[in-house]
Amino acid sequence: MAAAGAIPASMQVEFGDLEASNVAAPADTRSESIPTTSTGDSSGTKAMAKPQGGLFRHGGTLPTAVCLSKAAIGAGVLSMSAHSAEVGLAYQLVGLCIGAFLTLVSIRMIAHASIATGCWSYEDICEQLFHPSMSMLTGFVNVCNCLGSGAGYLIVCGQVFQVVTGADEHGRQLFILLMGIFVCAPLALARHVSFMRHLAAVSVAALLLLVVAVIWFYGEHGVDASVSTKSLWLGAGSVSIFSYMNSINNIVFAYNNQFNVPQLTGELTPAPTVQKMTVVSVTTVAMCFVLFSVVSLFGLLAFGNEGHQLDSLVLDLAPERREPLVMLALLGVMFSVLTCFQFHIFPIRQFAAYAARKARGRGIEDEASDVRYFGRTVTRWLDIFSALVSVSIIVLIALVVTSLKTILDFIGAFAAAYISYVVPPLWVIQVLRKQKGFTWWSAEVVSCLALFALGSFFFVFGTYSAVSDAIAA
């Protein structure tokens, strides 16, 4: 698999002219997907692409890594220890290691395809390399991924509210509705993913309070009575193969941030490169791996094996909710997932913009000439409308579904696996096919096919496993 992550220099030759014309001003090509200025003027977008100075500037490597980390670190970490309790810490840590490696490979593939084609959304890359029908399919799956993930974040908010206030189901639903209207909807209108970089940094720090709270709980109460040396490393021993698969589903979901990679690649300044995104991906994956591993270990030690843990760490910590540290940790979780929520709105908006552009018969760089109403282009108004509709749908899902673990397992299998491990290797193969001397037996192609096969397995069997587990429950 290592070869899949290595993008040969020869791949850049085929698209040299394309890169020269597109990468120099990436914001122009993405302005239709997510409008980047209030007027749609491409010159204003180019100005924003220039480095403004400072370590945490728009398009900088560090803030991009923080944003990508925040896109991954969300609700998935809350059910990490529950899965670890079922399958054992050894299986969980091996899965986290493999997931980290595959995520690095996947992000590098996506970044290369974005730069090679000069496109900054899944839909546009698929159309450039394949056909609009594949763009529609991929966009639809991406939307499912983001809708389900967003619903998971609001479910967490509802759980925190219930734990902190003792509210009933009606109170939970009212709180979710208010969060959707007054927090999620306004933030969903942000033009750039990196607009969230400061909130993302604070929210990552806030989520660390959860780790501190779990370790504190372990220190106060010691190892749970259900945990033995054998059960710690190998699990309870009475779980089915579906439990092992659902653990993988949750890991896939937890690492999943690939849906933001094309746009964040395009926002890099002064120009996007695969090398910069490699640095971003290594920083991101390292942060995620450490956090997931610590939570898996101490969550299992503190709250016990299968049957002792609840749906999420939020509910596990409920008995100590009056402790100041636990209260701060729960509020930090709420702030963190609300921030993470916004990163899942951007891909939905990109797909809506792509579909609207096709329906109107317009090109990717036509926003500057679009009709304006009240100072904004029709493209921007449609973008605002799609953002608000997306938030509304997510709120409705969160009002109906209450189980976090169930929804995360399904999204991790069905949508995240497709977006992360099925589509990116196909892009790289298509890029390689445009080169002279292409052969299906080259190391790059074989490794891409291997990742595609693995992603397809996660997609098919993982979805079956998640659905079977949900029906059995």
Side-chain angles (χ1 to χ4, degrees):
M1 295 293 295
I7 306 299
S10 58
M11 293 175 65
Q12 300 176 5
V13 175
E14 180 69 22
F15 291 90
D17 295 336
L18 185 62
E19 290 185 281
S21 61
N22 287 300
V23 174
D28 284 7
T29 59
R30 69 175 183 271
S31 60
E32 186 76 10
S33 298
I34 298 293
T36 52
T37 66
S38 60
T39 63
D41 183 19
S42 60
S43 62
T45 305
K46 289 181 181 179
M48 290 190 66
K50 297 178 181 179
Q52 299 298 313
L55 185 64
F56 226 67
R57 70 182 188 277
H58 168 77
T61 302
L62 178 60
T64 300
V66 171
C67 287
L68 199 58
S69 299
K70 187 61 248 171
I73 301 174
V77 70
L78 299 177
S79 61
M80 195 66 66
S81 66
H83 284 286
S84 183
E86 290 181 346
V87 301
L89 188 61
Y91 182 88
Q92 184 82 351
L93 291 179
V94 171
L96 287 173
C97 289
I98 295 174
F101 172 75
L102 294 178
T103 302
L104 289 173
V105 173
S106 176
I107 292 175
R108 185 176 175 87
M109 287 181 173
I110 296 169
H112 180 269
S114 297
I115 294 171
T117 60
C119 298
W120 316 108
S121 73
Y122 268 74
E123 295 78 17
D124 290 322
I125 297 173
C126 284
E127 179 175 346
Q128 182 81 4
L129 294 177
F130 292 99
H131 189 270
S133 59
M134 185 172 180
S135 299
M136 288 296 181
L137 172 62
T138 302
F140 171 76
V141 176
N142 209 1
V143 166
C144 290
N145 178 37
C146 294
L147 289 177
S149 301
Y153 300 139
L154 289 184
I155 290 173
V156 171
C157 287
Q159 288 182 347
V160 172
F161 180 72
Q162 284 186 301
V163 168
V164 171
T165 65
D168 57 10
E169 178 62 17
H170 177 72
R172 182 193 77 90
Q173 292 179 338
L174 179 60
F175 180 76
I176 289 176
L177 182 62
L178 292 176
M179 286 295 100
I181 294 173
F182 294 108
V183 178
C184 297
L187 288 177
L189 303 180
R191 296 178 181 274
H192 304 281
V193 176
S194 62
F195 165 83
M196 303 290 296
R197 62 191 183 277
H198 297 98
L199 284 175
V202 176
S203 66
V204 170
L207 196 59
L208 293 178
L209 284 174
L210 174 69
V211 180
V212 175
V214 171
I215 296 175
W216 170 86
F217 189 98
Y218 165 70
E220 286 289 313
H221 299 275
V223 179
D224 188 85
S226 65
V227 178
S228 64
T229 302
K230 180 180 179 181
S231 64
L232 171 67
W233 292 103
L234 302 179
S238 59
V239 295
S240 67
I241 189 174
F242 295 129
S243 295
Y244 289 95
M245 190 65 235
N246 285 335
S247 176
I248 294 297
N249 292 342
N250 185 64
I251 290 173
V252 171
F253 173 85
Y255 277 117
N256 180 232
N257 54 18
Q258 286 88 335
F259 48 85
N260 284 141
V261 171
Q263 187 172 1
L264 283 172
T265 300
E267 291 180 10
L268 286 172
T269 56
T273 66
V274 174
Q275 289 73 21
K276 286 183 179 180
M277 279 307 296
T278 300
V279 174
V280 168
S281 65
V282 170
T283 305
T284 296
V285 170
M287 293 172 60
C288 292
F289 176 79
V290 171
L291 182 62
F292 297 159
S293 299
V294 171
V295 169
S296 295
L297 171 60
F298 285 98
L300 176 54
L301 290 173
F303 304 114
N305 288 112
E306 182 189 14
H308 286 239
Q309 297 206 29
L310 301 177
D311 189 54
S312 73
L313 289 176
V314 170
L315 300 180
D316 289 324
L317 288 169
E320 300 290 346
R321 62 182 176 274
R322 298 190 184 280
E323 290 289 335
L325 175 61
V326 175
M327 179 66 72
L328 285 175
L330 293 176
L331 295 177
V333 167
M334 182 184 296
F335 174 75
S336 183
V337 296
L338 284 174
T339 304
C340 197
F341 178 96
Q342 311 309 322
F343 289 93
H344 291 73
I345 298 298
F346 282 94
I348 302 175
R349 289 165 58 188
Q350 286 183 321
F351 177 63
Y354 175 84
R357 193 173 70 227
K358 291 301 176 182
R360 298 176 65 201
R362 300 183 64 83
I364 194 172
E365 299 181 5
D366 291 347
E367 184 186 356
S369 62
D370 204 355
V371 178
R372 298 177 183 275
Y373 293 98
F374 304 103
R376 291 182 173 85
T377 63
V378 173
T379 297
R380 177 55 179 158
W381 283 115
L382 290 174
D383 177 53
I384 293 173
F385 176 75
S386 67
L388 297 178
V389 170
S390 301
V391 172
S392 301
I393 295 174
I394 292 173
V395 169
L396 288 176
I397 296 173
L399 291 176
V400 175
V401 181
T402 59
S403 174
L404 176 67
K405 185 171 177 290
T406 298
I407 194 171
L408 296 191
D409 289 347
F410 177 76
I411 294 301
F414 172 70
Y418 179 87
I419 294 301
S420 302
Y421 307 130
V422 174
V423 175
L426 293 181
W427 288 345
V428 174
I429 290 175
Q430 192 68 356
V431 170
L432 289 171
R433 288 185 63 198
K434 296 180 181 292
Q435 298 181 15
K436 293 181 179 179
F438 169 81
T439 172
W440 287 100
W441 299 107
S442 67
E444 293 84 0
V445 174
V446 170
S447 59
C448 285
L449 289 174
L451 181 59
F452 171 78
L454 183 63
S456 299
F457 172 77
F458 289 162
F459 179 74
V460 176
F461 184 68
T463 301
Y464 175 78
S465 175
V467 172
S468 298
D469 189 62
I471 294 175

